[in-house]
Amino acid sequence: MQKLLYITDQDEYVDHSFIAPLFEIYLKKHMHIDIVYFTEYKSDFEHKETHRFTVPSRYKNVLLAELKRNNINLASYDYIMVRNNIHIMKHVLKHKDIYHYKTAYRFSFPKRRVKLCCDEAENKKSFFSHIIHRIKTKQETNIINQCDVFLPTSAMMHKIFLPQVNIPTIICPPGINPAVLHENMQHDREEKCFIYAGTLDKMREFETILDAFSSIENKNWKLFISTRDTEYALHMIQKYTHIKDHIKLHNAKTKEALLSLIAKADVGIALLPDKPIYTTSTPVKIFDYYASAVPCLMTLSEHTSTIFTDCKDAWFCNFTQEDIKEKIEYILSLDKQTIMEVGESGQQQLLEMKNYKTIAKEIATKLQAL
């Protein structure tokens, strides 16, 4: 069985809900997988379980030497894949001819572009930051093009953010884990319960969604918000005095707690502004919603429309107060059975199209064909 070393850009203690099922469960059925996590909290290398290496962050610049020093046989790997860190990718490429592995660059999210968008949302826009971004993008492209394969989250993300990368490509999308489906709890209250899970900040313009809820005459609804940005959320909700009693704030600490909360809702919300950082891939929260067969109200985009069909397995609308209001009013008019059927249809659609089991098989097959 071929071997792959996957070097993440994540700390060992953060949520690994994407890495864990795809790389630690399903891809392992096709390849031997070892995974490197980094830590700011430990001073020594740890070989955890049979396939996890935890490396102190100070060794990032000499990572392969640190792995070798701890008796990791780098020549035993057929592939080394690096997630998002272009400096580590450059380091791995330098040693390629010594250890004879193939190299892969995993591009999961355009982090620097997100930082630019955040700065613009907070009126910190700088002319020079855009110049630096273009220079760095060109440098990164040159490094990635030295690899054997490129793994973006979606074809749209490749096209928009790294269009000059011209090496073989394997799409590595988020997906639904068929082994972790939660039963929809189906509360017995009369109101429709909506849920939003995830980050809240100026860039996501969540006030547009609250403005839509605020303008609806029908008040037979509740909105659950689960976010780590509780202080920001509280400050925002206080501006909506006449609907704040309809809103309940949560901070689910674990993936299990989040999925249990979602299972108690009727409709998930994945509405985001029309910006490429949001519209070029499927938000992970959508998979969390459908894991409990909770149907989703999501932004209409070129990407999501290739997976879902409006009013069949999801609901689409544009990111405007009026469009969101209209769609929420429509959902409020539906009976509970219809909403459940939309959720079940959406879950089945993801199990067929975006299933970690099939995604892993496709990635392994394409890697082995390099």
Side-chain angles (χ1 to χ4, degrees), residues 144-166:
I144 296 168
N145 279 336
Q146 297 174 48
C147 298
D148 294 286
V149 65
F150 176 54
L151 291 95
T153 295
S154 71
M156 285 291 292
M157 189 176 287
H158 181 182
K159 178 181 177 182
I160 298 297
F161 298 112
L162 287 168
Q164 301 304 313
V165 170
N166 55 23

mmCIF file of all heavy atoms in Angstrom, residues 144-166:
data_model
loop_
_atom_site.group_PDB
_atom_site.id
_atom_site.type_symbol
_atom_site.label_atom_id
_atom_site.label_comp_id
_atom_site.label_asym_id
_atom_site.label_seq_id
_atom_site.Cartn_x
_atom_site.Cartn_y
_atom_site.Cartn_z
ATOM 1 N N ILE A 144 4.094 26.293 -6.473
ATOM 2 C CA ILE A 144 3.106 25.220 -6.666
ATOM 3 C C ILE A 144 3.326 24.513 -7.998
ATOM 4 O O ILE A 144 3.182 23.288 -8.096
ATOM 5 C CB ILE A 144 1.675 25.787 -6.575
ATOM 6 C CG1 ILE A 144 1.409 26.334 -5.165
ATOM 7 C CG2 ILE A 144 0.639 24.711 -6.918
ATOM 8 C CD1 ILE A 144 0.148 27.170 -5.042
ATOM 9 N N ASN A 145 3.695 25.273 -9.022
ATOM 10 C CA ASN A 145 3.900 24.671 -10.344
ATOM 11 C C ASN A 145 5.107 23.744 -10.409
ATOM 12 O O ASN A 145 5.304 23.051 -11.409
ATOM 13 C CB ASN A 145 4.013 25.761 -11.411
ATOM 14 C CG ASN A 145 2.657 26.286 -11.841
ATOM 15 O OD1 ASN A 145 1.639 25.604 -11.716
ATOM 16 N ND2 ASN A 145 2.627 27.510 -12.350
ATOM 17 N N GLN A 146 5.902 23.705 -9.342
ATOM 18 C CA GLN A 146 7.008 22.741 -9.254
ATOM 19 C C GLN A 146 6.547 21.414 -8.658
ATOM 20 O O GLN A 146 7.302 20.434 -8.651
ATOM 21 C CB GLN A 146 8.136 23.318 -8.403
ATOM 22 C CG GLN A 146 8.788 24.567 -8.972
ATOM 23 C CD GLN A 146 9.795 25.173 -8.010
ATOM 24 O OE1 GLN A 146 10.644 24.480 -7.457
ATOM 25 N NE2 GLN A 146 9.705 26.485 -7.803
ATOM 26 N N CYS A 147 5.310 21.384 -8.148
ATOM 27 C CA CYS A 147 4.772 20.175 -7.524
ATOM 28 C C CYS A 147 4.246 19.213 -8.594
ATOM 29 O O CYS A 147 4.115 19.555 -9.769
ATOM 30 C CB CYS A 147 3.647 20.525 -6.559
ATOM 31 S SG CYS A 147 4.146 21.565 -5.175
ATOM 32 N N ASP A 148 3.910 18.020 -8.155
ATOM 33 C CA ASP A 148 3.346 17.021 -9.068
ATOM 34 C C ASP A 148 1.836 17.167 -9.222
ATOM 35 O O ASP A 148 1.287 16.785 -10.260
ATOM 36 C CB ASP A 148 3.673 15.611 -8.558
ATOM 37 C CG ASP A 148 5.160 15.321 -8.606
ATOM 38 O OD1 ASP A 148 5.671 15.106 -9.719
ATOM 39 O OD2 ASP A 148 5.802 15.346 -7.539
ATOM 40 N N VAL A 149 1.177 17.712 -8.189
ATOM 41 C CA VAL A 149 -0.282 17.824 -8.259
ATOM 42 C C VAL A 149 -0.765 18.926 -7.323
ATOM 43 O O VAL A 149 -0.130 19.215 -6.293
ATOM 44 C CB VAL A 149 -0.955 16.463 -7.911
ATOM 45 C CG1 VAL A 149 -0.699 16.071 -6.465
ATOM 46 C CG2 VAL A 149 -2.446 16.477 -8.226
ATOM 47 N N PHE A 150 -1.878 19.529 -7.695
ATOM 48 C CA PHE A 150 -2.490 20.638 -6.956
ATOM 49 C C PHE A 150 -3.886 20.203 -6.536
ATOM 50 O O PHE A 150 -4.646 19.659 -7.344
ATOM 51 C CB PHE A 150 -2.557 21.858 -7.874
ATOM 52 C CG PHE A 150 -3.242 23.069 -7.297
ATOM 53 C CD1 PHE A 150 -2.858 23.607 -6.082
ATOM 54 C CD2 PHE A 150 -4.270 23.698 -8.007
ATOM 55 C CE1 PHE A 150 -3.476 24.739 -5.573
ATOM 56 C CE2 PHE A 150 -4.895 24.821 -7.510
ATOM 57 C CZ PHE A 150 -4.497 25.351 -6.295
ATOM 58 N N LEU A 151 -4.235 20.439 -5.251
ATOM 59 C CA LEU A 151 -5.539 20.005 -4.729
ATOM 60 C C LEU A 151 -6.313 21.194 -4.155
ATOM 61 O O LEU A 151 -6.286 21.453 -2.949
ATOM 62 C CB LEU A 151 -5.365 18.928 -3.646
ATOM 63 C CG LEU A 151 -4.849 17.575 -4.129
ATOM 64 C CD1 LEU A 151 -3.336 17.490 -3.971
ATOM 65 C CD2 LEU A 151 -5.523 16.443 -3.362
ATOM 66 N N PRO A 152 -7.025 21.935 -5.000
ATOM 67 C CA PRO A 152 -7.881 23.017 -4.496
ATOM 68 C C PRO A 152 -9.215 22.459 -4.003
ATOM 69 O O PRO A 152 -9.592 21.325 -4.346
ATOM 70 C CB PRO A 152 -8.101 23.887 -5.737
ATOM 71 C CG PRO A 152 -8.066 22.901 -6.867
ATOM 72 C CD PRO A 152 -7.062 21.833 -6.466
ATOM 73 N N THR A 153 -9.920 23.256 -3.223
ATOM 74 C CA THR A 153 -11.222 22.829 -2.701
ATOM 75 C C THR A 153 -12.263 22.727 -3.804
ATOM 76 O O THR A 153 -13.172 21.904 -3.730
ATOM 77 C CB THR A 153 -11.689 23.807 -1.608
ATOM 78 O OG1 THR A 153 -10.780 23.700 -0.508
ATOM 79 C CG2 THR A 153 -13.089 23.495 -1.124
ATOM 80 N N SER A 154 -12.156 23.569 -4.820
ATOM 81 C CA SER A 154 -13.101 23.514 -5.937
ATOM 82 C C SER A 154 -12.418 24.028 -7.192
ATOM 83 O O SER A 154 -11.390 24.722 -7.134
ATOM 84 C CB SER A 154 -14.338 24.364 -5.640
ATOM 85 O OG SER A 154 -14.019 25.749 -5.685
ATOM 86 N N ALA A 155 -13.009 23.698 -8.340
ATOM 87 C CA ALA A 155 -12.477 24.207 -9.610
ATOM 88 C C ALA A 155 -12.606 25.730 -9.672
ATOM 89 O O ALA A 155 -11.740 26.419 -10.221
ATOM 90 C CB ALA A 155 -13.227 23.556 -10.773
ATOM 91 N N MET A 156 -13.687 26.262 -9.084
ATOM 92 C CA MET A 156 -13.887 27.707 -9.067
ATOM 93 C C MET A 156 -12.822 28.400 -8.230
ATOM 94 O O MET A 156 -12.326 29.470 -8.587
ATOM 95 C CB MET A 156 -15.276 28.037 -8.527
ATOM 96 C CG MET A 156 -16.410 27.776 -9.492
ATOM 97 S SD MET A 156 -16.389 28.926 -10.890
ATOM 98 C CE MET A 156 -16.796 30.457 -10.049
ATOM 99 N N MET A 157 -12.433 27.788 -7.109
ATOM 100 C CA MET A 157 -11.395 28.372 -6.267
ATOM 101 C C MET A 157 -10.067 28.419 -7.020
ATOM 102 O O MET A 157 -9.323 29.400 -6.931
ATOM 103 C CB MET A 157 -11.261 27.569 -4.971
ATOM 104 C CG MET A 157 -10.347 28.224 -3.944
ATOM 105 S SD MET A 157 -10.285 27.314 -2.384
ATOM 106 C CE MET A 157 -11.893 27.713 -1.716
ATOM 107 N N HIS A 158 -9.765 27.376 -7.762
ATOM 108 C CA HIS A 158 -8.569 27.335 -8.601
ATOM 109 C C HIS A 158 -8.621 28.466 -9.628
ATOM 110 O O HIS A 158 -7.664 29.237 -9.783
ATOM 111 C CB HIS A 158 -8.505 25.971 -9.295
ATOM 112 C CG HIS A 158 -7.309 25.784 -10.171
ATOM 113 N ND1 HIS A 158 -7.111 24.642 -10.907
ATOM 114 C CD2 HIS A 158 -6.252 26.589 -10.449
ATOM 115 C CE1 HIS A 158 -5.977 24.747 -11.588
ATOM 116 N NE2 HIS A 158 -5.444 25.922 -11.338
ATOM 117 N N LYS A 159 -9.736 28.583 -10.306
ATOM 118 C CA LYS A 159 -9.891 29.565 -11.385
ATOM 119 C C LYS A 159 -9.785 31.000 -10.880
ATOM 120 O O LYS A 159 -9.158 31.855 -11.511
ATOM 121 C CB LYS A 159 -11.246 29.348 -12.066
ATOM 122 C CG LYS A 159 -11.557 30.329 -13.177
ATOM 123 C CD LYS A 159 -12.935 30.049 -13.770
ATOM 124 C CE LYS A 159 -13.293 31.077 -14.833
ATOM 125 N NZ LYS A 159 -14.657 30.831 -15.388
ATOM 126 N N ILE A 160 -10.386 31.279 -9.727
ATOM 127 C CA ILE A 160 -10.453 32.658 -9.231
ATOM 128 C C ILE A 160 -9.172 33.075 -8.514
ATOM 129 O O ILE A 160 -8.674 34.190 -8.708
ATOM 130 C CB ILE A 160 -11.664 32.835 -8.281
ATOM 131 C CG1 ILE A 160 -12.969 32.581 -9.029
ATOM 132 C CG2 ILE A 160 -11.671 34.226 -7.660
ATOM 133 C CD1 ILE A 160 -13.249 33.549 -10.159
ATOM 134 N N PHE A 161 -8.601 32.203 -7.699
ATOM 135 C CA PHE A 161 -7.529 32.625 -6.807
ATOM 136 C C PHE A 161 -6.118 32.239 -7.280
ATOM 137 O O PHE A 161 -5.161 32.946 -6.970
ATOM 138 C CB PHE A 161 -7.768 32.080 -5.398
ATOM 139 C CG PHE A 161 -9.042 32.592 -4.781
ATOM 140 C CD1 PHE A 161 -10.107 31.747 -4.546
ATOM 141 C CD2 PHE A 161 -9.182 33.933 -4.465
ATOM 142 C CE1 PHE A 161 -11.289 32.216 -3.987
ATOM 143 C CE2 PHE A 161 -10.354 34.417 -3.915
ATOM 144 C CZ PHE A 161 -11.414 33.562 -3.683
ATOM 145 N N LEU A 162 -5.985 31.120 -7.984
ATOM 146 C CA LEU A 162 -4.659 30.711 -8.462
ATOM 147 C C LEU A 162 -4.765 30.244 -9.916
ATOM 148 O O LEU A 162 -4.465 29.090 -10.247
ATOM 149 C CB LEU A 162 -4.084 29.602 -7.569
ATOM 150 C CG LEU A 162 -3.605 30.037 -6.179
ATOM 151 C CD1 LEU A 162 -3.334 28.825 -5.295
ATOM 152 C CD2 LEU A 162 -2.364 30.918 -6.269
ATOM 153 N N PRO A 163 -5.204 31.135 -10.788
ATOM 154 C CA PRO A 163 -5.488 30.731 -12.174
ATOM 155 C C PRO A 163 -4.260 30.316 -12.979
ATOM 156 O O PRO A 163 -4.396 29.621 -13.991
ATOM 157 C CB PRO A 163 -6.139 31.987 -12.771
ATOM 158 C CG PRO A 163 -5.588 33.121 -11.957
ATOM 159 C CD PRO A 163 -5.463 32.564 -10.569
ATOM 160 N N GLN A 164 -3.059 30.737 -12.563
ATOM 161 C CA GLN A 164 -1.854 30.416 -13.313
ATOM 162 C C GLN A 164 -1.212 29.095 -12.894
ATOM 163 O O GLN A 164 -0.199 28.694 -13.461
ATOM 164 C CB GLN A 164 -0.834 31.556 -13.165
ATOM 165 C CG GLN A 164 -1.333 32.907 -13.644
ATOM 166 C CD GLN A 164 -1.807 32.871 -15.085
ATOM 167 O OE1 GLN A 164 -1.132 32.338 -15.955
ATOM 168 N NE2 GLN A 164 -2.984 33.440 -15.336
ATOM 169 N N VAL A 165 -1.798 28.423 -11.909
ATOM 170 C CA VAL A 165 -1.310 27.082 -11.559
ATOM 171 C C VAL A 165 -1.715 26.136 -12.684
ATOM 172 O O VAL A 165 -2.902 26.017 -13.011
ATOM 173 C CB VAL A 165 -1.890 26.609 -10.206
ATOM 174 C CG1 VAL A 165 -1.570 25.139 -9.978
ATOM 175 C CG2 VAL A 165 -1.316 27.451 -9.069
ATOM 176 N N ASN A 166 -0.729 25.468 -13.290
ATOM 177 C CA ASN A 166 -1.011 24.688 -14.500
ATOM 178 C C ASN A 166 -0.583 23.228 -14.414
ATOM 179 O O ASN A 166 -0.435 22.552 -15.433
ATOM 180 C CB ASN A 166 -0.342 25.349 -15.705
ATOM 181 C CG ASN A 166 1.155 25.556 -15.499
ATOM 182 O OD1 ASN A 166 1.777 24.872 -14.693
ATOM 183 N ND2 ASN A 166 1.729 26.513 -16.218
#
